[in-house]
Amino acid sequence: MPTVVLAHSLDFVTWRNATRTLALHGIPATDIIWRIRDPADAAMQTGITAPLHADTSPRSTFGVPRAMMRLVQDILQAETPDRFDLAYRLVLRLATGEDPARRPADDAEILRARHIAQDVRRETLAFRTHVATSHDPTQAIIWDAADSLVAYCNARFVTLQRSFHPWHVQMGESVMRWDGTTLHPGTPLEGADPTSFPSPALPLAEGMDIERITALPAVAEAARSCLTCAMAHHATQTVFGEGTTTASLMFVGEQPGDQEDLAGRPFVGPAGQLFDRALHEVGIARDDVYVTNTVKHFKFFNRNGRRIHQKAGMEEIRACAPWLHAERRMVRPRLLVMLGATAASAILQRSVVIGRERSRPITLDDGTCGLVTVHPSFLLRQPTEEARSREYLRFIEDLRLAGSLITS
């Protein structure tokens, strides 16, 4: 009878590798013994420690849909005694050609799995809310409602919410702590590798109190998992701002384009290259400024295999507003330059006509100075070379004005 030894109670990596081998051989769930390695026996090997039956032969490979893997990872964060066995049975059904997700609504196994996962997601949000509202960062976070393992899987959430500062969570007799460089899970997971834990049941940004974060890299890392608006599910990745965090000059555009979406950096496509050229011409080093967008994901539609830019709407602007507000709060530029009507409308909280607002200092809601100009992509859309040259010179004038405002 095959025996699988897991390094600890959240050893998803070993479970996944063993499950794939066992399912390919069609080993019934009733023939498998799942064990947690005795912490006192460090020499005990993990993985499948008893041989498979000699008469079994592996079937062809199989795939596990993302939704099913998500469900499995949620189940493994519950302290249900048979969670390893239940998760294995779901995967085995896929390996044998069945799709459990398409079974009738009264499928008892699926219903139980979803109920467990729902409880894990509910506790995950409760734990995150508790962490986000714990006011004194020097005091331990007391988590008495720990009837599952979700706190361990959300150590990264706590680290970002606490801006990388040391923290500790008291869970009964166990203490999980982050010393500023290393996670110490405490009993019963002392010495466990956090990279072997299942992914948290909720996206990292969900439940995060962004206003409490004081480190811009922590905000950027949290934003990478944001799925608040629909377009976040289609874009390649979040494109956060970049530049010096003490910049006197901050530029805000509309949204990343196709090349920015692929590279994960703002203003690297054709408009970004023109922007860099203009900055260089007026003597402003891009490394000395902070550059970002109102919206952090690329909104597009497909046309003959090409991804065509779509204007960001109010839904996307509202969803991304906390990220932009955090950037402004932590960079605290002397001057914020709004590139285009979308950025200007989002920051000024009113409809903006570029021709009326352009090239004049505006006092912003936080008391800093703002300046409206066109987006560099506007220059590229001009119909003639003469028009492009004329508009480029006007853009250069606005950048010179920006430079003078931060040095005056």
Side-chain angles (χ1 to χ4, degrees):
M1 179 172 286
T3 298
V4 181
V5 177
L6 306 174
H8 50 78
S9 54
L10 279 171
D11 189 0
F12 171 68
V13 172
T14 301
W15 176 90
R16 180 188 60 202
N17 294 339
T19 290
R20 186 159 197 84
T21 299
L22 294 166
L24 282 171
H25 283 82
I27 306 298
T30 52
D31 289 354
I32 304 170
I33 298 173
W34 301 92
R35 293 180 54 192
I36 305 297
R37 183 174 64 187
D38 184 349
D41 188 0
M44 181 182 289
Q45 295 294 312
T46 59
I48 304 172
T49 60
L52 303 181
H53 295 301
D55 58 349
T56 60
S57 57
R59 32 178 109 241
S60 59
T61 188
F62 67 96
V64 179
R66 183 178 299 177
M68 179 58 71
M69 188 56 70
R70 175 68 274 159
L71 178 64
V72 162
Q73 292 192 71
D74 291 352
I75 291 170
L76 295 184
Q77 293 174 59
E79 291 213 275
T80 307
D82 67 336
R83 64 188 184 279
F84 301 116
D85 180 67
L86 173 60
Y88 175 78
R89 292 199 304 271
L90 295 176
V91 175
L92 181 61
R93 288 168 68 172
L94 283 169
T96 56
E98 180 187 350
D99 185 352
R102 296 182 180 275
R103 295 290 294 169
D106 60 351
D107 186 311
E109 198 164 69
I110 287 295
L111 286 174
R112 181 162 177 264
R114 288 174 175 164
H115 177 74
I116 292 171
Q118 185 178 32
D119 285 346
V120 167
R121 288 192 290 271
R122 187 182 298 115
E123 187 179 345
T124 297
L125 186 57
F127 174 73
R128 291 183 176 188
T129 301
H130 182 65
V131 170
T133 55
S134 298
H135 294 280
D136 189 345
T138 66
Q139 297 297 313
I141 299 167
I142 308 299
W143 182 241
D144 293 328
D147 55 1
S148 79
L149 300 162
V150 300
Y152 301 102
C153 294
N154 283 278
R156 186 161 166 250
F157 174 91
V158 186
T159 303
L160 297 181
Q161 183 67 84
R162 292 298 177 97
S163 305
F164 301 117
H165 297 305
W167 54 262
H168 50 293
V169 177
Q170 182 79 45
M171 299 173 287
E173 295 182 358
S174 179
V175 177
M176 175 176 61
R177 65 186 180 88
W178 163 261
D179 63 14
T181 57
T182 305
L183 177 68
H184 303 273
T187 56
L189 299 175
E190 192 63 57
D193 181 358
T195 62
S196 68
F197 295 176
S199 298
L202 299 174
L204 185 61
E206 196 162 338
M208 188 81 70
D209 185 350
I210 303 167
E211 289 300 309
R212 287 183 177 273
I213 303 177
T214 58
L216 196 57
V219 176
E221 187 64 26
R224 288 192 177 93
S225 74
C226 183
L227 298 173
T228 303
C229 63
M231 73 178 184
H233 296 265
H234 305 293
T236 303
Q237 59 192 312
T238 301
V239 181
F240 207 72
E242 67 175 20
T244 179
T245 57
T246 57
S248 297
L249 184 55
M250 181 174 180
F251 291 92
V252 180
E254 178 196 345
Q255 65 166 304
D258 180 72
Q259 292 189 33
E260 288 81 4
D261 173 72
L262 296 174
R265 296 181 56 215
F267 286 82
V268 296
Q273 293 166 25
L274 184 61
F275 176 63
D276 285 348
R277 172 187 156 195
L279 286 178
H280 179 74
E281 190 163 330
V282 299
I284 298 174
R286 173 142 173 181
D287 288 345
D288 293 337
V289 303
Y290 188 87
V291 181
T292 191
N293 282 297
T294 306
V295 172
K296 310 304 184 188
H297 288 103
F298 177 36
K299 185 177 183 180
F300 64 92
F301 66 92
N302 281 296
R303 178 192 293 164
N304 300 325
R306 292 183 59 209
R307 304 195 302 174
I308 308 300
H309 167 275
Q310 280 186 297
K311 184 179 177 66
M314 285 307 302
E315 177 188 356
E316 293 87 19
I317 292 171
R318 280 194 294 266
C320 284
W323 305 120
L324 179 59
H325 184 264
E327 290 176 294
R328 291 179 60 191
R329 171 172 57 88
M330 282 182 261
V331 176
R332 296 191 61 81
R334 289 185 61 192
L335 176 66
L336 188 150
V337 178
M338 295 157 270
L339 301 171
T342 298
S345 297
I347 291 168
L348 298 176
Q349 293 292 293
R350 57 181 171 80
S351 179
V352 171
V353 177
I354 295 294
R356 296 176 188 167
E357 310 278 357
R358 185 176 184 176
S359 307
R360 62 180 180 86
I362 301 170
T363 301
L364 302 180
D365 54 3
D366 61 357
T368 59
C369 184
L371 185 70
V372 174
T373 186
V374 296
H375 193 282
S377 62
F378 171 77
L379 311 179
L380 298 175
R381 294 195 301 270
Q382 296 307 299
T384 65
E385 184 61 38
E386 179 183 359
R388 284 191 289 274
S389 297
R390 182 178 64 250
E391 292 300 334
Y392 179 75
L393 290 175
R394 290 194 65 193
F395 185 61
I396 289 290
E397 290 172 4
D398 285 340
L399 294 185
R400 286 202 174 98
L401 174 59
S404 69
L405 289 172
I406 63 172
T407 55
S408 59

